[in-house]
Amino acid sequence: MSAPSARSTPAASSTTPALTTRSRRLALGVIATGMLMIILDGSIVTVAMPAIQNDLGFTPAGLSWVVNAYLIAFGSLLLLAGRLGDLLGRKRMFLAGTAMFTVASLLAGLATTPALLIAARFLQGIGGAMASAVGLGILVTLFTEPRERARAIAVFSFTGAAGASIGQVLGGVLTDALSWHWIFFINLPIGLAALAVALPVLPADRGLGLRAGADVIGALLVTAGLMLAIYTVVKVEEYNWTSAHTLGAGAVAAVLLGAFIARQAGAGTPLLPLRILRSRTVAGANLVQLLMVAALFSFQILVALYLQKVLGYGSARTGLAMLPAAVVIGVVSLGISARLNARFGERRILLAGLVLLVGVLGLLARVPVHAHYLTDLLPVMLLAAGFGLALPALTSLGMSDAKSDDAGLASGLFNTTQQIGMAVGVALLSTLAASRTDELLADGQSRVAALTGGYHLAFMVGAGFLVAAFVVALTVLRPHRPKPVTAPERSAATV
């Protein structure tokens, strides 16, 4: 029996009071703003890394922990935070996470030593996990009418698809105009405004209570397993894939995660009810996302490195060069994706988006050393519209079987696969690019030519990930016949 589509997801639980259309729109704005702040922080740091290193005296190896500390905390706690949101109340979790992220941003901006900045980044990761793990769960319980939900998910997905590009623009401008400290201080007014609006407009849900799923042992196993797994992956560039460090830590992580799954199968109150993974649509959507995010690291990060290290762009110019991608993603995801999903179904739109994204990385795999922006790079930025098609459709599919009581868990799971995909992309594609660059340098090629060759390999492997994602979406995700839009639905209120 096929899994129901996102259009048939159950309504919010009785513990969530009904809200007016205006209140729900404000709630969506709060969730999207909180998510944008968190997503921006993941990319805004990348362009400020040289300035941070020079100011605080980071070693090259230590500098990577400005990113790794955030990624490890964020990725390893999403699943736990999502389930705790279901048990303790998603509004409480969102508020606590946003508050922690805002305070940690202040501490990061005030940091005067490498240790203080890394500690603040770890706290940011914890707060970001708490807020983002339940954001999508709140959204799907607020918007239960199909057309409204599709539009709300399009807004939510836009924050993820365009956030990285916007972060690179903003990071370059703030670093060049003021200082790197302001890439963290900028979060303070955003976080405080989000908290002020969230308090009155987010629905006050009581949660199921800890007795419904307070599996402490399971929580320890999954958190430790994910933390060690992500740490292992992000350190691959330093130790390589076949080293004793990578193989040993990876084996321990696999044992911990295997013990967690076994624990959930027999626990009376599991942290992760395995029923959520029995849905072919949900499991397939999470696998597609893991492959897609791993591939798209090469667009979000390696394109910026290519612009700076090969073409000689500065921080601000790099961000502006990638701005057209953010614009087309916004136009597609906010303007037309909801209508396309309603007319053709999420699976077909996801497949179309993946085709465009394969074109993005295919073109990048042929970009020359002396590229011209208008002819070689602008077409790539415009094809990034595939993000705006794929992400809203994939998000709808990933939450399609989320019952009201499991919405936070489903949201946390979906975000966890996103972070694991990012970690895999960072480790694998950057390692391949660096190894290929070293080979070409040894063959006597110039540095810019060697760098370009390394990026070409990473882009080709990323395109392979996207082809695999397309195959999974085509074969695993079940097609759904879109419901015909009736006259009353056309006139219904929209988000």
Side-chain angles (χ1 to χ4, degrees), residues 158-173:
F158 167 73
T159 65
S165 297
I166 297 172
Q168 289 170 335
V169 176
L170 189 59
V173 171

Side-chain angles (χ1 to χ4, degrees), residues 318-333:
T318 297
L320 291 173
M322 299 186 72
L323 185 59
V327 172
V328 297
I329 291 168
V331 170
V332 173
S333 61

Side-chain angles (χ1 to χ4, degrees), residues 258-333:
F260 168 72
I261 296 298
R263 168 84 182 175
Q264 300 314 288
T269 56
L271 180 70
L272 173 62
L274 296 183
R275 65 179 181 273
I276 198 170
L277 298 177
R278 296 189 188 116
S279 165
R280 182 168 175 167
T281 302
V282 171
N286 277 276
L287 179 56
V288 169
Q289 178 175 232
L290 190 149
L291 292 167
M292 188 173 76
V293 171
L296 296 181
F297 158 78
S298 61
F299 177 81
Q300 295 177 341
I301 305 298
L302 294 185
V303 170
L305 292 176
Y306 167 79
L307 291 171
Q308 293 183 27
K309 293 186 175 183
V310 176
L311 300 186
Y313 285 21
S315 298
R317 189 181 178 190
T318 297
L320 291 173
M322 299 186 72
L323 185 59
V327 172
V328 297
I329 291 168
V331 170
V332 173
S333 61

Side-chain angles (χ1 to χ4, degrees), residues 318-454:
T318 297
L320 291 173
M322 299 186 72
L323 185 59
V327 172
V328 297
I329 291 168
V331 170
V332 173
S333 61
L334 298 179
I336 64 175
S337 65
R339 292 195 295 272
L340 291 175
N341 285 331
R343 181 171 181 180
F344 299 105
E346 291 91 349
R347 178 176 174 269
R348 290 178 179 176
I349 300 306
L350 171 61
L351 292 172
L354 288 171
V355 169
L356 291 179
L357 294 177
V358 171
V360 167
L361 295 191
L363 288 177
L364 286 172
R366 299 171 58 86
V367 71
V369 174
H370 303 293
H372 297 285
Y373 183 80
L374 289 179
T375 56
D376 296 313
L377 293 171
L378 184 57
V380 171
M381 302 301 167
L382 297 179
L383 280 177
F387 285 80
L389 291 177
L391 284 178
L394 187 59
T395 303
S396 292
L397 292 166
M399 297 297 292
S400 61
D401 279 356
K403 298 179 180 179
S404 176
D405 292 343
D406 292 334
L409 174 62
S411 174
L413 177 64
F414 194 71
N415 282 289
T416 297
T417 59
Q418 184 181 88
Q419 294 304 308
I420 293 174
M422 184 183 298
V424 170
V426 168
L428 180 59
L429 299 183
S430 61
T431 300
L432 289 174
S435 298
R436 180 59 177 161
T437 297
D438 290 341
E439 291 176 2
L440 296 175
L441 286 172
D443 288 341
Q445 294 197 23
S446 66
R447 180 161 184 79
V448 291
L451 284 169
T452 304

Side-chain angles (χ1 to χ4, degrees), residues 63-127:
L63 185 65
S64 66
W65 281 98
V66 176
V67 174
N68 292 344
Y70 179 85
L71 182 62
I72 290 171
F74 189 87
S76 62
L77 292 172
L78 280 164
L79 191 61
L80 175 60
R83 188 54 177 166
L84 288 177
D86 291 331
L87 302 178
L88 302 177
R90 289 184 282 272
K91 177 178 180 177
R92 292 177 184 172
M93 188 62 64
F94 182 85
L95 292 174
T98 303
M100 177 177 285
F101 186 90
T102 304
V103 172
S105 296
L106 175 62
L107 296 176
L110 295 174
T112 55
T113 66
L116 288 176
L117 181 57
I118 291 171
R121 289 286 288 164
F122 192 84
L123 290 177
Q124 276 189 309
I126 296 174

Side-chain angles (χ1 to χ4, degrees), residues 15-17 19 27 30-31 81-82 84-99 130-131 134-135 137-139 141-142 194-207 408:
T15 60
T16 302
L19 297 178
V30 166
I31 294 169
L84 288 177
D86 291 331
L87 302 178
L88 302 177
R90 289 184 282 272
K91 177 178 180 177
R92 292 177 184 172
M93 188 62 64
F94 182 85
L95 292 174
T98 303
M130 293 168 65
V134 297
I138 296 173
L139 185 152
T141 58
L142 281 177
L195 288 170
V197 179
L199 279 169
V201 303
L202 289 186
D205 55 322
R206 294 191 300 272

